[in-house]
Amino acid sequence: MLDLKYIRANMEAVRTALGNRGQAALLAGFEELESTRRTLLAEVEDLRRQRNEVSGTIATMKREGQDASGLMEDMKAVSSKIKDLETGLHEKEATLNDLLMRVPNIPHESVPVGKDEHDNVEVKKNGVPTVFNYEPSAHWTIGEGLGILDFERAARITGSRFPLYLGDGALMERALINFMLNTHTLKHGYKEVLPPFMVNKKTMTGTGQLPKFEEDLFKIEGWEYYLIPTAEVPVTNIHADEILDEEDLPIYYTAFTPCFRSEAGSHGKDTRGLIRQHQFNKVEMVKFSHPDTSYDELEGMLQNAETILQELDLPYRVLNLCTGDMGFSAAKTYDLEVWMPEQGVYREISSCSNCEDFQARRANIRFKSKGKKGATHVHTLNGSGLAVGRTLAAILENYQQPDGSVVIPEVLRPFMGGREVIEK
RNA sequence: GGAGAGAUGGCCGAGUCGGCUGAAGGCGCUCGCCUGCUAAGCGAGUAUGGGGGUUACACUCCAUCAUGGGUUCGAAUCCCAUUCUCUCCGCCA
């Protein structure tokens, strides 16, 4: 959520920023709404002040044994007037709040202006696309060939877009999770957390999934609970409604969770394989940062994600997402894309964002400096480190061999009984 | 699921028969004093959000004692609903 005062003071800048995101019309009617709201508020407050004063007088009179029935009668009218005005005020406030909750974050100045994914800017390329002297197979072909992935049976159990890992597939998924978590906790200084996989409405609103993107979520019938689409949601909300100590910042958390996404609107996209699933595993990084250093923290987080890809020796590139392609809550986002040999393209495997105070304002996460009055919103950052299913897919494709076997990346071998290859 | 207890400021904790209680007291924190160091001591200050106001302060008003309603001239205090926490019983991985 943007700061109401900021919007008021910087209307044109906000309009431009929203325009760059392709949402120019979002704030139509804002100014009128806000000014009537303020007029109403002033009226209500004035009446309340009157009532407070006179109620004090009544108290004194009664104490002194005087008759205050006249004043009480007057105040009865005032109170009912207040109630009427308040009804109108609450309506305006609700409308305004709803509008505000649907306005995306303002892009950072270093974000390229652009319309869609074609305008993203590649900032780095690491490794070279794996070379094959034959036509490389898709990871689902390899996985099904080895008997470690079974999409048909998964569909029977649940439906399309669910994974079933078997044997070494399940083992490698688990190895990846352990490898990623170990790297982030032991080498990068993150604290491991294991959060709930279902969250309530308030939590979903705190990070920005609600109210605007309900159709992307799985909701539990009969409950106001949702399955998390990413660990960012529960982990960022760990400190909701808290005031942190400045010296505790930055705080680093990493979490492994499954993620659940309805993938509404992606019918026909990536229908095969592990790329686009209703349920997938992810290791997430979350930071709570001092506003002054959040962009350094973003660079650090990006490196933490890159480290995983480097250690796995997978070719990848880094994109600076343009204004039109960024997520709702982000002020700046780097995407990491891994090389997928069968399709011959780079595919997103991580997304690292600085949300600045956008989520912190929604979730009410602040910090206090020693000796200073007041509390300031922290900056929140989140990034995948990495999407596990897609990582496994990338390994299958990049490490495949002509005979259908797959070499196990060296860093994973300690987690897989020291073995070097998965074969039938 | 059954029975009960509770939810107050950064934290702990008091709030009598509804009326200067935005809220005692303590801790913590900040500033100052004092003590040749440390500890202790003394004094003052210290919630959040919003409106108005100011170059910025000052100042001023409103709201907030889990949340939402209600009663009342007036509610942290009374009533109702909801949520959460805790204790006991039952059930269960």
Side-chain angles (χ1 to χ4, degrees):
Chain A
M1 181 162 61
L2 302 180
D3 182 17
L4 187 59
K5 277 191 253 179
Y6 176 85
I7 299 179
R8 239 160 31 207
N10 302 279
M11 201 59 213
E12 277 323 297
V14 172
R15 281 232 163 79
T16 308
L18 292 180
N20 288 339
R21 271 183 175 266
Q23 311 245 17
L26 208 51
L27 280 180
F30 167 84
E31 278 151 309
E32 198 197 327
L33 189 61
E34 167 63 358
S35 92
T36 39
R37 188 201 125 239
R38 279 207 279 174
T39 310
L40 270 168
L41 182 64
E43 282 181 58
V44 168
E45 286 193 347
D46 189 55
L47 288 174
R48 286 205 279 233
R49 182 184 51 74
Q50 265 183 53
R51 186 179 64 186
N52 288 345
E53 278 173 17
V54 177
S55 288
T57 311
I58 293 172
T60 315
M61 287 172 75
K62 286 199 139 184
R63 212 175 299 127
E64 292 168 358
Q66 300 177 47
D67 175 36
S69 55
L71 286 180
M72 282 165 67
E73 205 53 41
D74 292 349
M75 286 308 103
K76 197 166 201 161
V78 171
S79 273
S80 101
K81 181 83 198 284
I82 289 175
K83 200 156 283 178
D84 286 351
L85 288 174
E86 274 176 344
T87 308
L89 179 64
H90 289 155
E91 257 169 53
K92 293 289 171 200
E93 280 173 344
T95 312
L96 186 69
N97 192 50
D98 190 62
L99 178 65
L100 237 41
M101 288 305 246
R102 290 166 189 275
V103 174
N105 204 354
I106 292 181
H108 186 253
E109 57 190 13
S110 65
V111 172
V113 174
K115 195 162 161 275
D116 52 33
E117 67 268 21
H118 303 294
D119 297 322
N120 295 336
V121 174
E122 181 179 306
V123 294
K124 181 178 184 180
K125 205 172 240 171
N126 196 74
V128 288
T130 316
V131 178
F132 294 90
N133 54 15
Y134 64 99
E135 201 60 40
S137 303
H139 65 273
W140 56 85
T141 308
I142 302 163
E144 286 171 337
L146 289 169
I148 62 173
L149 291 177
D150 192 333
F151 294 100
E152 213 176 303
R153 289 198 172 95
R156 197 187 299 154
I157 296 167
T158 308
S160 67
R161 296 201 192 280
F162 282 87
L164 172 61
Y165 297 80
L166 300 161
D168 288 338
L171 176 60
M172 185 181 270
E173 183 88 357
R174 180 155 57 89
L176 280 167
I177 294 164
N178 282 326
F179 164 66
M180 291 178 192
L181 283 175
N182 281 2
T183 304
H184 294 318
T185 56
L186 302 175
K187 291 187 179 167
H188 299 154
Y190 290 77
K191 181 185 220 172
E192 183 173 349
V193 295
L194 183 57
F197 302 159
M198 287 184 209
V199 301
N200 59 31
K201 206 165 206 164
K202 177 173 179 286
T203 298
M204 277 296 184
T205 307
T207 30
Q209 282 71 26
L210 290 178
K212 211 171 177 180
F213 306 102
E214 177 142 27
E215 71 278 7
D216 295 334
L217 302 170
F218 284 110
K219 188 175 184 193
I220 307 300
E221 176 146 18
W223 297 71
E224 284 297 297
Y225 292 166
Y226 299 82
L227 292 174
I228 57 170
T230 158
E232 166 199 344
V233 175
V235 176
T236 303
N237 279 283
I238 285 175
H239 294 299
D241 296 316
E242 287 185 23
I243 297 177
L244 305 165
D245 281 336
E246 184 176 30
E247 56 247 53
D248 292 337
L249 300 177
I251 297 172
Y252 292 8
Y253 290 131
T254 185
F256 153 72
T257 70
C259 303
F260 303 90
R261 298 184 182 180
S262 74
E263 295 297 339
S266 353
H267 296 295
K269 273 191 202 165
D270 304 309
T271 48
R272 304 201 64 186
L274 287 171
I275 298 299
R276 195 175 298 275
Q277 301 276 297
H278 288 312
Q279 175 189 321
F280 63 95
N281 294 317
K282 185 154 62 71
V283 169
E284 184 78 357
M285 302 173 281
V286 169
K287 290 185 178 184
F288 299 83
S289 161
H290 193 288
D292 293 348
T293 56
S294 65
Y295 280 91
D296 297 331
E297 294 293 346
L298 178 62
E299 298 299 320
M301 181 178 275
L302 173 63
Q303 276 176 26
N304 297 152
E306 285 186 58
T307 297
I308 302 294
L309 285 166
Q310 288 163 8
E311 300 248 317
L312 289 168
D313 202 18
L314 291 167
Y316 67 91
R317 62 175 185 174
V318 180
L319 302 180
N320 184 2
L321 295 196
C322 74
T323 51
D325 199 32
M326 264 195 322
F328 180 73
S329 297
K332 179 171 185 171
T333 298
Y334 288 117
D335 267 11
L336 272 77
E337 296 188 332
V338 69
W339 177 251
M340 297 298 283
E342 191 268 341
Q343 293 183 339
V345 295
Y346 286 95
R347 294 301 305 255
E348 178 185 343
I349 198 165
S350 170
S351 194
C352 297
S353 301
N354 184 359
C355 299
E356 297 190 5
D357 62 5
F358 186 85
Q359 294 178 326
R361 186 170 293 111
R362 288 173 163 249
N364 193 25
I365 310 168
R366 294 168 298 170
F367 72 93
K368 201 175 162 140
S369 317
K370 250 193 161 65
K372 261 203 220 159
K373 273 192 75 170
T376 313
H377 291 110
V378 300
H379 281 192
T380 60
L381 299 90
N382 64 77
S384 353
L386 312 161
V388 181
R390 287 187 179 184
T391 306
L392 188 133
I395 290 170
L396 294 187
E397 292 198 10
N398 283 282
Y399 281 83
Q400 65 178 288
Q401 306 199 90
D403 64 358
S405 66
V406 171
V407 174
I408 299 172
E410 252 174 77
V411 292
L412 294 184
R413 292 176 191 170
F415 299 96
M416 296 181 70
R419 289 162 48 208
E420 296 179 6
V421 66
I422 297 175
E423 43 203 345
K424 201 156 188 180

